[in-house]
Amino acid sequence: MTEIGPEDRIEAERAYTEYVSARLPTLRRIAHLLCKDPHRADDVVQTTLTKLYVHWRRASAADDLDRYVHTMLVRCFLNEQRLAWARVRLSGAPHETPGLPPVEGVPDIETRAVVHTALSRVPARQRAVLVLRYLCDLPVAEVAGILGCSEGNVKSQSARGLTRLRAQLGGQLPASAASMREA
């Protein structure tokens, strides 16, 4: 293994800091959509960023650094879901993603709360697929790459996840969101 000099180490830390500073809001948004809890989302992001720092040389050499980091984030989330303490709820769900301005043209708070509650009841792997496909608007191939599975698996997980989400929602959507259900 080759040693890196102090100048290289300083440059690598500067590049890491710039990357994280630019991508932190996006990473927090994705984690929040996955976790539905701002504290757990921050924990997942922190774990991801710690691992990224440790492996920065390898990560920065990746063809698509954003995809590499998104993969790390989703894997940290899925790994955390396997732990028993992940099922413990200490606080309620927030109304907005921390650190990001509210998005215009979104359903009202009541509709979002109902959808977020239903989404939190979908299994973690299916939730990850739904969040990446429909809330982050990523193509099937990219979601497959992030999750390390086939495109067919992403499609089947999407279908199963949507079926579960629809079953969870049932007739719970407010009248103002009835048109959303038709789409």
Side-chain angles (χ1 to χ4, degrees):
M1 192 186 281
T2 60
E3 286 290 319
I4 61 171
E7 298 85 23
D8 293 334
R9 191 179 322 267
I10 291 170
E11 179 60 28
E13 287 188 14
R14 185 194 56 74
Y16 170 83
T17 303
E18 285 179 10
Y19 177 81
V20 170
S21 297
R23 300 305 193 285
L24 189 58
T26 301
L27 295 174
R28 290 185 75 207
R29 179 177 181 269
I30 292 170
H32 182 264
L33 290 168
L34 290 169
C35 297
K36 300 297 178 222
D37 177 353
H39 305 292
R40 287 185 55 217
D42 284 343
D43 289 345
V44 169
V45 169
Q46 184 62 44
T47 301
T48 302
L49 294 179
T50 301
K51 289 179 180 182
L52 178 63
Y53 182 79
V54 170
H55 301 290
W56 179 248
R57 282 183 31 193
R58 180 177 27 174
S60 62
D63 292 336
D64 186 349
L65 182 57
D66 287 335
R67 183 174 171 184
Y68 188 97
V69 175
H70 290 167
T71 300
M72 290 176 70
L73 180 74
V74 170
R75 287 182 180 165
C76 285
F77 163 72
L78 291 173
N79 288 339
E80 183 192 71
Q81 288 298 108
R82 293 182 185 105
L83 302 174
W85 73 266
R87 291 183 284 277
V88 175
R89 287 278 176 225
L90 300 176
S91 65
H95 295 290
E96 296 293 334
T97 302
L100 294 178
V103 180
E104 293 184 28
V106 296
D108 59 36
I109 291 174
E110 180 184 353
T111 302
R112 287 191 337 214
V114 169
V115 171
H116 284 193
T117 301
L119 188 60
S120 70
R121 294 180 181 147
V122 173
R125 185 92 172 168
Q126 291 173 6
R127 185 179 339 144
V129 169
L130 293 177
V131 165
L132 293 172
R133 281 283 295 130
Y134 301 108
L135 298 177
C136 295
D137 202 28
L138 296 178
V140 172
E142 191 166 342
V143 174
I146 289 171
L147 296 175
C149 62
S150 69
E151 292 182 23
N153 191 300
V154 170
K155 292 175 185 178
S156 67
Q157 291 291 323
S158 294
R160 289 183 186 121
L162 287 172
T163 300
R164 284 203 168 188
L165 186 60
R166 286 185 184 115
Q168 288 292 325
L169 289 172
Q172 293 180 5
L173 283 180
S176 64
S179 62
M180 284 178 46
R181 221 184 341 189
E182 305 301 320

